[in-house]
Amino acid sequence: MVQLEIENIKQTLAASHPGLWFRDHVRNWAGGVGHGERKRAVHLHSLHQPWIKTHEPLKRTLQFWKRSLRIYFDYKFCQLRVQFLKGKEEQDKAWEEQHESAAAKIYLLCTELGGFFLKAAQMVGKPDLAPDAWVRKLVMLCDAAPATPFSTVKLILEREGLPLHDFFEKFEGQPIGSASIAQVHRARVKGSTRDVAVKVQHPGVEELMMTDIRNLKAFAAFLQRFDIKFDLLSITDELEDQVQYEFDFVREATSMDRIADSMSIWNNGKPPVIIPRSIPGMVTRQVLVMDFIEGIPILRLEVELAKRGICADGTVARLAKRNILRDLTAAYGQMILRDGFFQADPHPGNILINNLGKVALLDYGQVKELQNSLRLDFANLVLAIASGKPLKISHCFKTFQKSFSLFCGQYTY
């Protein structure tokens, strides 16, 4: 029985090996059956060979396993060590030190390998999912991806049918932000008086991130088999499905405009949050030109308030934070409960505050569409919780749980 389990793990790891992935990927690319998009991304490797070369699949795999297993065994050692410590205070201190140490290692893994690990850090670095030490460190990774050289950006724009000198009056070579999948430049379209944001996909990033996800799936299989009694593979499968959508900027532009239109119509032109719109005729699968929104990242709000002489704990600051929370809650309430179509990646890097205190919600690569029955059951659950009646809450929760289970088993937008 033990031998059979070991063989299963070997097969899982073998299926995730970058060499096997690369072989299958090349076969699919050469055959051209259902992989038109990947053909284009592979061809773009020639634009950015030095960057791709330093992130070869085998090298990334070895680095990932070396670092991940070290973090894992550090935790196992800490788990063993705390059993010999007397008192809860000493045990808590040992765990906190371990979390701090692991956070530093995870931060280095994400910054040095980049790719999907930056995206995973954004997803995991939330107070309800990770230790506080992790959250404090990982929240710094919102725009920490290495930037694509400007010379390569110009070549990508030309390949996508948007040559720099034909379409833009000015174009800042230094990106204002660089994330795991793309970077954003400030520019101005010829004949316009307003600036735009130009989102350009990093060349070769799709192959890079797919390698990372397969490594992560192998690690999840290892943990699920030998340690954590939880369905980690279903989570990584969902991540793989969702991340693939983010490489299609045409889909993102369509989603962004759909949400912007709905927000504007239902709020008489005064939506609770600012949503950029795409520029017609300037969207391709790897380039997205949209409205430029001036603002500060929400994580820098207190710093900006301090610069203006406003106490972070004072009445003015509390009112500003309350208004931000109100507007975000209203926006997501409308998107989820009224439209059933919402931006599904509201991490701090995607939230800006403009000089009037209005909230801007960016990045629509991750969206979800909900069925009417699920929305209704969720609304009933919220009302039941607000009523404070235990029996009603229990009944509505069971109904929602059933609807949610059915929803998770179906393919969504």
Side-chain angles (χ1 to χ4, degrees), residues 152-171:
T152 303
V153 170
K154 290 192 288 186
L155 290 174
I156 294 173
L157 289 170
E158 289 179 10
R159 287 188 57 86
E160 295 298 304
L162 297 168
L164 199 66
H165 299 295
D166 292 347
F167 284 84
F168 300 99
E169 182 179 301
K170 67 175 185 177
F171 196 105

Side-chain angles (χ1 to χ4, degrees), residues 373-379 381 395-406:
S373 58
L374 181 61
R375 282 189 285 151
L376 181 61
D377 291 339
F378 178 66
L381 175 60
H395 172 73
C396 290
F397 179 77
K398 289 177 181 177
T399 303
F400 173 73
Q401 189 177 36
K402 183 178 179 181
S403 297
F404 187 72
S405 297
L406 291 172

Side-chain angles (χ1 to χ4, degrees), residues 356-371:
L356 298 176
K358 290 287 291 181
V359 180
L361 191 59
L362 313 178
D363 196 346
Y364 293 80
Q366 288 278 355
V367 293
K368 274 289 187 180
E369 188 160 23
L370 306 178
Q371 301 168 337

Side-chain angles (χ1 to χ4, degrees), residues 7 14 22 44 57 62 67 74 79 109 147 166 201 269 290 320 343 357 388 398:
E7 288 300 317
F22 187 74
L44 277 171
L62 293 174
R67 297 174 185 226
D74 282 349
Q79 189 178 41
L109 185 153
D166 292 347
Q201 191 171 130
M290 58 190 144
Q343 196 264 28
K398 289 177 181 177

Side-chain angles (χ1 to χ4, degrees), residues 134 202 222 275 296 360 362:
W134 288 29
H202 299 305
F222 166 77
I275 299 172
I296 59 169
L362 313 178

Side-chain angles (χ1 to χ4, degrees), residues 50-102:
W51 191 77
I52 296 297
K53 188 174 181 181
T54 60
H55 295 79
E56 294 168 356
L58 182 57
K59 182 185 292 185
R60 292 182 69 79
T61 297
L62 293 174
Q63 282 293 319
F64 169 76
W65 281 97
K66 175 184 175 182
R67 297 174 185 226
S68 298
L69 287 176
R70 182 179 177 185
I71 295 168
Y72 171 76
F73 285 117
D74 282 349
Y75 267 105
K76 298 307 290 183
F77 177 73
C78 183
Q79 189 178 41
L80 178 65
R81 186 166 68 91
V82 294
Q83 295 179 15
F84 299 95
L85 297 177
K86 295 181 180 179
K88 187 176 184 302
E89 186 175 332
E90 285 189 37
Q91 293 178 348
D92 289 344
K93 183 180 178 182
W95 279 117
E96 183 61 29
E97 289 174 352
Q98 172 55 35
H99 292 325
E100 291 284 355
S101 174

